[in-house]
Amino acid sequence: VGKDVEAFLRKREKESYCFRLQKNKIYYIRENIMRKSTNISRDKLVSLGTQIGKFTHSGKFRLTITCLELISEFAKNKVWLKSSAEMSYLYGNNVLKSSMARITEGTPVNAGVVVYSMSDVPLGFGVSARATEDCRRLDPHSIVVLHQADIGEYLRNENEIG
């Protein structure tokens, strides 16, 4: 998302959004719903809006797959997979150069990337292991994107999500 956080919070012209911390989870919610939720005590409130991520026990923030639809709209760095590699990625594997169909120009190393199918459906997100320029010279079995989350997690971890 980068410097587009303000656009992220003002997704639609008529409504403004905000981030809210509930226990150790961060939610993305419309402001008018957030104001109405103040009538519910915090200990009784289970969820509110779309979960963006959560803080681990060590205090680090991790994005969850539930934010994929939101971040895919504003992603600066993108990778498209060949159709033969989609299932491998959805099983939690990293993206290899041989699996990659194309990549956004100027993607730096260690940048967040959104992974798409060839039909522009967001499949997940990860961290770039190589810059765009380096990808051209790589061995076909080299890792290009390190897997962080994918839409297959809904099935693999359905008890933990939410």
Side-chain angles (χ1 to χ4, degrees):
V1 176
K3 296 178 181 176
D4 291 339
V5 173
E6 286 186 24
F8 192 69
L9 291 174
R10 288 174 186 76
K11 189 175 170 186
R12 295 176 185 90
E13 291 179 19
K14 297 177 184 177
E15 303 167 349
S16 56
Y17 287 75
C18 62
F19 294 112
R20 281 295 171 246
L21 175 66
Q22 171 66 23
K23 297 182 182 165
N24 65 338
K25 297 175 182 168
I26 302 291
Y27 293 94
Y28 179 70
I29 183 170
R30 282 197 330 240
E31 284 187 1
N32 63 347
I33 292 176
M34 188 267 311
R35 285 191 202 99
K36 292 175 184 177
S37 71
T38 57
N39 297 332
I40 303 168
S41 64
R42 283 189 166 263
D43 57 323
K44 302 245 195 262
L45 192 61
V46 176
S47 178
L48 187 65
T50 302
Q51 182 181 337
I52 297 295
K54 61 184 179 179
F55 288 98
T56 62
H57 293 289
S58 61
K60 294 181 181 177
F61 183 72
R62 286 195 52 100
L63 288 172
T64 55
I65 191 60
T66 51
C67 74
L68 179 61
E69 185 180 328
L70 296 170
I71 65 171
S72 65
E73 289 182 48
F74 299 100
K76 294 181 184 297
N77 303 314
K78 302 173 183 180
V79 171
W80 287 266
L81 295 182
K82 294 177 181 174
S83 56
S84 60
E86 288 177 18
M87 286 306 292
S88 175
Y89 182 74
L90 294 177
Y91 284 130
N93 297 318
N94 295 325
V95 177
L96 303 178
K97 182 185 187 284
S98 60
S99 306
M100 183 181 70
R102 62 182 200 236
I103 186 170
T104 307
E105 280 299 318
T107 301
V109 178
N110 298 325
V113 295
V114 176
V115 179
Y116 289 88
S117 68
M118 285 305 291
S119 55
D120 284 331
V121 175
L123 300 174
F125 54 87
V127 176
S128 62
R130 307 292 176 125
T132 303
E133 296 76 31
D134 298 338
C135 290
R136 293 184 179 97
R137 298 184 297 269
L138 284 178
D139 170 45
H141 299 292
S142 297
I143 296 173
V144 176
V145 176
L146 300 170
H147 177 275
Q148 282 193 327
D150 64 79
I151 56 177
E153 283 184 32
Y154 284 118
L155 298 175
R156 290 194 310 270
N157 304 328
E158 64 184 297
N159 293 336
E160 298 172 19
I161 294 179

